[in-house]
Amino acid sequence: GGEPSVRTLLGRLAGAGGPLGREILADPAVSSMPVGPAIAELRRRRLVVSAPLDGAVAFDVYHARVRDVIVSDLEAASRRGHHAALAGAIERVRPGDDAALATHHTGAGDLARAYGHVVRAATTATGALAFERAAGWYRTALELAPAIGIDAADVATLEVALGETLAAVGRLPEAAAVLQRAAARGSGPSGEDEGAGELRRRAAELLLESGHLEQGLTLLRAELRAVGLAEPASGRRALAGLLWAR
């Protein structure tokens, strides 16, 4: 009947985590009844309001607290079901929306399908110079990687991308730590040992630039010896030697 369908639509809206356009709400996976009457009923009950989305009218739950109450009352299987329905609708209506697809495939527990969208969302954010958002997506990709069997070389590539993204927003010590983890896997993006050395030298450079001289020097000494340069006695000499080696 209408009442269960209205409740289902409300659960979909709450689970979405943000506004949904009419074209998503009207998808058969999201609503089994005409969306107009259901939205009208939810608005009458002050559970749903209109909200702008990409210049068009969309709909969202009335308040974040309303969303929290609805979501907290849902069983885990229901939450996954809502995410799966939204993912299916978005794939049909907005197949290029990697951020939304990453979120909802993850929420549905389909980690393998989520992973590709997460990586593409990170790449898109980087291209838009939205480095903080990109860093969040790269971290998500790294969290998903063990569960779906991503190999060490691809994990290292993600870590390098995360490290450089963090460096771009001035989080140099954090970036250095991530690059060292990538190097510790025994390879850089090229899959060669030389790549690991380059990553350690890059990490040392970031540490020195951020004023962490002792850590940077400790890391750099072994790398400079490996390329036949004198061991540095100071941060300035270390940085000069590092730049020469590059």
Side-chain angles (χ1 to χ4, degrees), residues 58-245:
F59 300 95
D60 199 358
V61 294
Y62 183 76
H63 191 279
R65 291 183 180 176
V66 175
R67 183 193 313 282
D68 292 343
V69 170
I70 295 169
V71 171
S72 67
D73 284 345
L74 293 173
E75 295 182 356
S78 294
R79 286 196 295 271
R80 289 194 298 271
H82 289 315
H83 282 295
L86 291 168
I90 292 167
E91 282 182 336
R92 285 183 286 274
V93 177
R94 297 201 312 269
D97 192 344
D98 289 307
L101 288 168
T103 297
H104 293 303
H105 281 309
T106 300
D110 194 344
L111 305 186
R113 294 182 75 178
Y115 177 80
H117 292 294
V118 170
V119 173
R120 286 192 290 275
T123 302
T124 299
T126 300
L129 306 183
F131 296 118
E132 290 285 1
R133 187 161 70 246
W137 285 122
Y138 282 125
R139 289 191 188 282
T140 299
L142 287 165
E143 290 169 1
L144 294 177
I148 58 176
I150 301 301
D151 65 33
D154 287 339
V155 171
T157 299
L158 289 172
E159 287 174 329
V160 172
L162 173 59
E164 294 299 345
T165 300
L166 292 170
V169 293
R171 293 157 64 178
L172 303 189
E174 191 177 352
V178 174
L179 293 177
Q180 288 181 80
R181 286 202 296 273
R185 297 181 189 281
S187 66
S190 64
E192 300 173 355
D193 290 341
E194 181 181 351
E198 290 175 357
L199 291 176
R200 283 189 289 268
R201 289 194 291 276
R202 173 64 170 148
E205 177 186 2
L206 294 174
L207 289 168
L208 292 170
E209 287 181 1
S210 62
H212 292 73
L213 299 185
E214 191 58 40
Q215 290 174 271
L217 287 171
T218 298
L219 182 59
L220 186 58
R221 285 186 178 108
E223 295 306 314
L224 291 179
R225 285 197 300 269
V227 296
L229 294 176
E231 189 170 307
S234 69
R236 181 171 296 180
R237 283 182 58 194
L239 186 55
L242 174 67
L243 295 174
W244 179 262

Side-chain angles (χ1 to χ4, degrees), residues 9-88:
L9 186 63
L10 181 60
R12 305 278 201 245
L13 276 165
L20 289 175
R22 185 178 291 271
E23 72 282 7
I24 298 295
L25 293 172
D27 189 273
V30 175
S31 179
S32 61
M33 65 180 290
V35 69
I39 289 293
E41 176 63 16
L42 290 170
R43 295 185 72 177
R44 186 186 68 78
R45 299 183 190 183
R46 297 183 180 275
L47 293 171
V48 165
V49 294
S50 60
L53 179 67
D54 298 330
V57 175
F59 300 95
D60 199 358
V61 294
Y62 183 76
H63 191 279
R65 291 183 180 176
V66 175
R67 183 193 313 282
D68 292 343
V69 170
I70 295 169
V71 171
S72 67
D73 284 345
L74 293 173
E75 295 182 356
S78 294
R79 286 196 295 271
R80 289 194 298 271
H82 289 315
H83 282 295
L86 291 168

